[in-house]
Amino acid sequence: MAFGTDTGLYDLRFHTGRVCLDLLATTHPAERLDRVPALRAWIAGSGLVPPGTPLAHVDLGWLTAFRELRGHTARLVRVHPPTSPAAARDLALARVNDLARTAPPAPRAVLGENGSLVRELTAPPECPALLGAVARDAVDLLTDPAARAALRQCEGDNCPILYLDTSRGQRRRWCSSEICGNRERVARHRRRAALAR
């Protein structure tokens, strides 16, 4: 999904089923959180803040912190088969648990322009609060046996994205039917066409 900001357009994905997995997806096919505006677009697109929340105060320190959390979460989610030494996993677990202690931003309901209730934050979001929300999501995922059982890696060529398979019968194969699934269908069509010739 492309999200525009005042400084550009970012191709970001939000179809993994968990905000912590959406953060992990920002490394594929290349680094997506390479600049502060990209992080602002990701925060807005992830649903961590209500639409229209000002994020001008997000700075380079936030970018470093979110990328650090992403690395720790990846070490914990990808423990089967082990991809990190035990000491690195222990450090990652301690850091995610520490970040999860911070309460997420407090929402409130306010009257919108058309008279319906809309959600906004009581104050501008702070980095520790948003990191806490993502870290809590990671803790929930890691400690929920049903969610862990539904965790899958995309079957697309060279796609490392993890997602929750909540489909009927748990038959979902790709992180995104529109992206990796479409690539697979096109490749299958080309193989059949080549064999027919």
Side-chain angles (χ1 to χ4, degrees):
M1 186 177 296
F3 281 85
T5 66
D6 54 357
T7 58
L9 194 62
Y10 303 96
D11 184 26
L12 299 168
R13 296 184 181 189
F14 299 101
H15 32 62
T16 66
R18 298 299 286 252
V19 71
C20 66
L21 297 178
D22 287 340
L23 182 60
L24 295 184
T26 61
T27 62
H28 180 72
E31 176 62 63
R32 298 290 186 201
L33 299 183
D34 57 348
R35 295 184 299 150
V36 171
L39 178 61
R40 289 181 186 133
W42 185 86
I43 290 169
S46 70
L48 286 175
V49 298
T53 299
L55 296 170
H57 62 292
V58 174
D59 62 21
L60 193 56
W62 288 48
L63 184 62
T64 301
F66 271 86
R67 288 172 67 167
E68 178 187 338
L69 174 58
R70 181 182 67 191
H72 292 315
T73 303
R75 282 184 196 90
L76 297 172
V77 172
R78 298 181 190 276
V79 295
H80 300 289
T83 58
S84 301
R89 284 194 310 270
D90 292 347
L91 175 64
L93 184 60
R95 188 66 181 129
V96 168
N97 283 333
D98 186 48
L99 290 170
R101 287 185 217 171
T102 305
R108 66 180 178 175
V110 297
L111 283 176
E113 291 179 14
N114 64 358
S116 64
L117 292 175
V118 295
R119 183 175 65 110
E120 71 175 31
L121 300 181
T122 58
E126 296 180 6
C127 187
L130 295 182
L131 289 170
V134 178
R136 285 175 180 219
D137 185 58
V139 168
D140 288 345
L141 172 64
L142 294 167
T143 59
D144 180 347
R148 288 296 300 230
L151 192 60
R152 305 279 186 272
Q153 181 170 335
C154 181
E155 292 181 22
D157 284 341
N158 302 314
C159 184
I161 293 180
L162 298 171
Y163 63 90
L164 284 189
D165 183 359
T166 57
S167 66
R168 187 178 220 167
Q170 294 196 325
R171 294 184 177 146
R172 183 175 164 188
R173 296 179 54 203
W174 303 291
C175 62
S176 167
S177 181
E178 293 81 24
I179 299 171
C180 288
N182 190 50
R183 286 182 190 141
E184 177 63 26
R185 288 186 288 274
V186 168
R188 250 192 333 242
H189 174 74
R190 286 183 180 156
R191 285 191 298 267
R192 282 194 304 263
L195 287 173
R197 283 185 240 147

